[in-house]
Amino acid sequence: IASRRTAANEKSLAAAASRAIGQNAPELTDDVLAAAHQQISGEFGRILGGVQVKLDKAFENELNAVTGSKVLKSLRDESVQGVIDEIKAIAKTGAADGEWFQQNKSALDALIRAAYNTPGQAPKAKALEGVEKALSRAAMRSLPQADASAYKAAERQWANLRLLETGLTISWWGNIR
């Protein structure tokens, strides 16, 4: 009985996880994760296509608070510095197009994941998340209300997808453990 209950719980969890990434699948397989990645990326592209993300004074203040922190300064390396320099340079222009925004959010996402997966680098990851959040808030302020809501939903799905990709064991039959 316990094994049936465990199996039922795993299936329920897999279905719920699938819904959390915008999919409707009874099992969480590599194909479901790939479909979610494609769908969420497409939604970001739709929302941000043709948008000028305003990198306003609020953004500059948030960016300066994070990039000026002692934690981030002490943990910087070439990859981090390059992204921060790029963001600071474009911020001086006052706006960034949606494509630039997505490319740099993706670069930050990769740096954050690498930092979290490296022992002792969690403070660096947290600081980089601050930069990423500043960019997201700038995008939200630049979008019409309906698109801002859709953007927020896509961000939630993306965060759920990242969690599923890195933090769970998925059995060969698609159940989560």
Side-chain angles (χ1 to χ4, degrees), residues 32-55:
V32 172
L33 295 174
H37 190 281
Q38 185 175 6
Q39 181 244 325
I40 298 165
S41 295
E43 182 67 357
F44 279 129
R46 181 196 68 76
I47 294 166
L48 294 167
V51 168
Q52 286 293 308
V53 177
K54 297 174 193 108
L55 302 176

Side-chain angles (χ1 to χ4, degrees), residues 34-129:
H37 190 281
Q38 185 175 6
Q39 181 244 325
I40 298 165
S41 295
E43 182 67 357
F44 279 129
R46 181 196 68 76
I47 294 166
L48 294 167
V51 168
Q52 286 293 308
V53 177
K54 297 174 193 108
L55 302 176
D56 55 12
K57 192 67 173 166
F59 172 76
E60 283 184 52
N61 291 339
E62 288 181 65
L63 186 61
N64 288 333
V66 175
T67 60
S69 75
K70 290 179 183 176
V71 170
L72 188 57
K73 282 183 182 176
S74 69
L75 295 172
R76 282 187 187 165
D77 57 33
E78 286 182 30
S79 63
V80 171
Q81 193 60 49
V83 171
I84 289 171
D85 289 346
E86 172 85 17
I87 291 169
K88 283 185 169 185
I90 202 78
K92 289 179 183 176
T93 68
D97 66 47
E99 183 178 339
W100 177 92
F101 175 86
Q102 265 310 100
Q103 288 172 352
N104 281 277
K105 278 264 291 158
S106 294
L108 277 170
D109 187 52
L111 289 171
I112 291 164
R113 290 179 71 191
Y116 273 127
N117 289 322
T118 304
Q121 295 292 303
K124 176 181 177 179
K126 284 287 194 192
L128 289 170
E129 282 179 336

